[in-house]
Amino acid sequence: MRDRLSRLTIFGASLAFALSVSAAHPRAESVSPGQPNQACGSPSPIDDGWKITSPDSVGMDGAQLCTIAARLGQRSTAVHSVVVVRHGKLVFEQYFAGYDQPWGQADGQYEFTATTKHDMRSASKSVTSLLIGIAIDRKLIAGVDEPVLKFFPDYTAVKQPGWDAVTLRHLLTMSSGITWDEARAWTDPKNDEPHLVTEPDPLGYVLSRPVAAPPDTLWTYNGGGTELLGNIVERVSGKPLEAFAREALFQPLDITDVEWKPYKNGKIAAASGLRLRPRDAAKIGQLVLNRGQWNGRQIVSADWIAQSITPRFQAVGYFGGTLFYGYQWWIGRSLVGDKEIKWIGAFGWGGQRIFVVPELDLVMMTTAAQYGQPKEGLAAIDILSNIVIPSVRDAH
């Protein structure tokens, strides 16, 4: 359940990976066995709404993409999947067996394929942001400047001084100023995140936190604010969060195999509980890339997408301060040769990543089990920056 992001920098010198596959990462087959001349990483047709083609047909070097497994295999990166989409078409996928800690299941060794759901962890936050946008599009919420306490009249008794100034926008940008610390060890009683799991009323816990700074002045990573956002969606829609998400987002995206895990008190974990197939998670990235459209249908407004991916705060203390933060979306860049390539990301603890690269019309998604590892997330950014982006031939 724990979903705290590593604070190490994801930029810097390239990892010194060699080109040999480690036995620690046996491949879980993603294609039908026995197919003649089956290209490495060729996606399986599973009738999930994706159009499938070869990397070379969309201007990518398929042979270069085939070095991903070797690059991962040199070290115990615990990556479970890599999915690549270009020009709206699925062009590459690979899956790797390995250890995992899936929510609500036993820790252990698992096989991963195109039809295996995986914890998204904090990438759930980015999906919750999309649901807020849909609620605003449907006029269930007037806008991001609505005060948070307007939606929680039943929590007046726990209100602390300063909460009246906190709006939805402050929760979306993690700039509410409320006292919150997820950077401590999970067992540290001063870590606020475990309280979302253990408290009989996690919403009450969040709303009772004191305000340490005026809104818009202090960026602090805060899953508690996302829990409030998810509950606001429930309150304005009159539906459980998962039911609203299925109707408003997942069904229009042809996502049918989805799970959103609850906390012990039964409330859906808006900040960290989503489980999706990697190919379906890549659809979330494609939706953002397409400014809210999927197969010609506008699912969330283009304006909301634009607002969500606009850099609003330096993400101080996370990944060496190299990232910006929007509405529950990260904004970063990769250095490819002598050129900076900007991207938008949904990040989840353990190495769950959705990267959206507008300049190249590209989406890359990874899942992993790098929970608590000092190099958590480094494999994904290495693959993106040193293999996937450079494999694009028609933009260089």
Side-chain angles (χ1 to χ4, degrees):
M1 298 179 191
R2 176 178 169 187
D3 201 23
R4 177 168 53 86
L5 292 172
S6 165
R7 293 184 293 171
L8 295 178
T9 177
I10 58 176
F11 295 99
S14 167
L15 299 178
F17 289 140
L19 296 178
S20 60
V21 180
S22 167
H25 285 280
R27 180 177 174 186
E29 292 296 331
S30 62
V31 297
S32 299
Q35 285 182 275
N37 302 319
Q38 181 66 51
C40 134
S42 180
S44 303
I46 59 173
D47 193 28
D48 63 350
W50 275 117
K51 295 177 181 177
I52 294 174
T53 191
S54 68
D56 300 273
S57 70
V58 291
M60 300 185 75
D61 185 338
Q64 187 164 356
L65 292 178
C66 281
T67 67
I68 287 175
R71 198 168 181 93
L72 291 174
Q74 178 61 24
R75 301 190 181 190
S76 297
T77 55
V79 170
H80 296 153
S81 70
V82 181
V83 176
V84 179
V85 178
R86 185 141 202 255
H87 298 332
K89 296 178 180 179
L90 187 65
V91 301
F92 182 91
E93 64 176 4
Q94 279 188 312
Y95 300 91
F96 307 90
Y99 174 81
D100 198 18
Q101 302 174 17
W103 187 317
Q105 302 176 42
D107 296 0
Q109 297 293 317
Y110 287 86
E111 294 287 332
F112 296 96
T113 71
T115 58
T116 307
K117 292 192 297 295
H118 199 284
D119 288 352
M120 293 294 106
R121 303 293 177 141
S122 268
S124 309
K125 293 178 172 67
S126 302
V127 176
T128 297
S129 172
L130 292 175
L131 298 177
I132 286 286
I134 292 171
I136 291 174
D137 292 341
R138 295 184 177 186
K139 302 190 184 308
L140 300 176
I141 300 172
V144 296
D145 292 319
E146 288 287 282
V148 170
L149 293 183
K150 171 183 176 179
F151 301 95
F152 297 99
D154 45 330
Y155 283 94
T156 303
V158 302
K159 183 184 74 172
Q160 299 294 309
W163 264 97
D164 288 323
V166 178
T167 67
L168 299 192
R169 178 170 55 82
H170 300 134
L171 298 185
L172 287 162
T173 57
M174 296 194 179
S175 64
S176 64
I178 71 172
T179 301
W180 195 268
D181 189 351
E182 294 188 21
R184 298 172 178 270
W186 185 256
T187 54
D188 189 328
K190 294 184 179 180
N191 186 336
D192 290 292
E193 186 182 7
H195 289 276
L196 298 175
V197 179
T198 59
E199 293 284 337
D201 183 4
L203 299 178
Y205 177 80
V206 179
L207 289 164
S208 67
R209 303 303 294 150
V211 175
D216 272 337
T217 61
L218 183 67
W219 187 90
T220 304
Y221 192 77
N222 185 337
T226 312
E227 295 303 331
L228 297 184
L229 291 170
N231 192 255
I232 288 170
V233 171
E234 292 190 332
R235 288 173 178 240
V236 300
S237 69
K239 299 177 180 179
L241 183 65
E242 185 176 15
F244 182 80
R246 285 179 184 273
E247 176 267 317
L249 181 63
F250 298 139
Q251 288 178 3
L253 287 174
D254 296 318
I255 296 175
T256 58
D257 190 9
V258 61
E259 190 177 11
W260 210 322
K261 305 297 286 189
Y263 292 125
K264 291 180 179 179
N265 70 343
K267 291 186 180 298
I268 290 294
S272 57
L274 186 59
R275 287 173 53 80
L276 291 172
R277 297 176 179 180
R279 288 166 57 139
D280 287 338
K283 291 178 183 179
I284 301 295
Q286 189 66 37
L287 181 73
V288 172
L289 184 61
N290 289 347
R291 298 283 176 165
Q293 286 192 1
W294 173 258
N295 286 341
R297 176 179 176 180
Q298 197 76 41
I299 296 173
V300 58
S301 68
D303 179 67
W304 181 258
I305 299 297
Q307 292 296 318
S308 297
I309 64 176
T310 297
R312 298 177 185 277
F313 280 90
Q314 185 86 45
V316 177
Y318 280 80
F319 301 107
T322 57
L323 295 177
F324 305 119
Y325 204 71
Y327 287 173
Q328 309 274 291
W329 288 88
W330 302 83
I331 299 96
R333 61 200 183 277
S334 291
L335 184 64
V336 180
D338 59 356
K339 184 178 181 181
E340 287 191 2
I341 305 292
K342 296 179 181 179
W343 45 256
I344 302 108
F347 288 6
W349 188 57
Q352 326 320 318
R353 299 288 188 269
I354 304 172
F355 289 108
V356 180
V357 190
E359 181 179 345
L360 301 179
D361 197 19
L362 177 75
V363 173
M364 188 190 92
M365 197 277 155
T366 66
T367 58
Q370 298 163 348
Y371 311 113
Q373 295 182 14
K375 295 178 180 179
E376 183 260 328
L378 283 174
I381 193 66
D382 175 65
I383 293 168
L384 177 73
S385 302
N386 294 312
I387 297 181
V388 175
I389 291 178
S391 76
V392 176
R393 298 304 187 202
D394 59 7
H396 298 283

